[in-house]
Amino acid sequence: MATPALADGEVNIYSYRQPVLIQPLLDAFTKETGIKTNVIFASDGLAERIQAEGANSPADVMMTVDIGRLDGAKQLGITQPVSSEVVNANIPAEFRDPEGHWIGLTTRARVVYASKDRVEQDSITYEELADEKWRGRICTRSGQHVYSIGLFASMVAHHGAEKTEEWLAGVRDNLASKPSGNDRAQVKAIFAGECDISLGNTYYMGKMQTNEKEPEQKDWANSVKILFPNTEERGTHVNISGVVMAKNAPHPAEALKLIEFLSSDAAQQVYAEANYEYPVKPGVAASERVKSWGEIKPDSLPLAEIANNRKTASELVDKVGFNDGPSS
Ligand SMILES: [Fe+2]
């Protein structure tokens, strides 16, 4: 092991993830390696910034969420392939780009939030969301949001475009209203009796359950249960948060060390816990709170397959007029 005092260097991180989520990890990284970290945080535009900075970009790595944004960075041409035995051993292949351009660090599932009062069933499938029994009872955010597109792309991968189009039209007709708002707003709508089920990412349950700033969110959370779709068969759709190495990284060796560190057991646990997510490294446990929402069986479809079907999914959303809401 290198002596921290002898190690040198720094690594520049462009992060869409909030400092509160990553700072404890970065502190641990610096303690272990002696490598200093510099973070630039923004909620948008970082990929474009790296692109604009070109060969002079100080960015070594970019941390972001969703396969759409990770693969989007690869498509923009601002990434470089990472080849690491450590990373390959820690992160299952389905959560990495086959060419090494993006690496998943945590997973989050896109689940059904269901009213405890008005929904009796304790299991569900994505397919049945198009069933007439849900007429007027579903709430969701925009069909074009990256989280929605990830799920719809997984439907395209499993069922093909034609079946997915039919399904999307069926779900659209079951909506209680036009898609709007974020994932938490849908749970609020369930709490208010405006709909009975919604689609949302798992970690929002944790964010609502522990929200001291806006304690009414605890009531929203308390009015629903999480149903993990398709547990009986292929499993629940999961997406990732992850990291890319910038194409013109001025400190590639330090950047690689950071990426390897983020894939380690200790970092995986801390990082996943910070945002109520799941570690991607097998054998690292989710937090007690996350486990309390129920057993998850993740769909093993490679995230690269989801990336490949995003465009089709987005076209289908427009084609069926998903965001126009129910047709009658
Ligand atoms: Fe989110």
Side-chain angles (χ1 to χ4, degrees), residues 108 147 201 203-204:
R108 58 271 299 286
Y147 299 165
N201 284 353
Y203 54 87
Y204 287 114

Side-chain angles (χ1 to χ4, degrees), residues 65 69 108 141 145 147 183 201 203-204 207 275:
V65 299
R69 291 177 184 147
R108 58 271 299 286
R141 77 190 311 160
H145 189 273
Y147 299 165
D183 281 358
N201 284 353
Y203 54 87
Y204 287 114
K207 286 176 176 278
N275 193 43

Side-chain angles (χ1 to χ4, degrees), residues 24-44:
L25 279 173
L26 300 181
D27 292 344
F29 172 69
T30 300
K31 206 172 161 200
E32 191 175 305
T33 63
I35 299 170
K36 202 179 142 225
T37 62
N38 308 304
V39 183
I40 288 175
F41 165 77
S43 56
D44 122 278

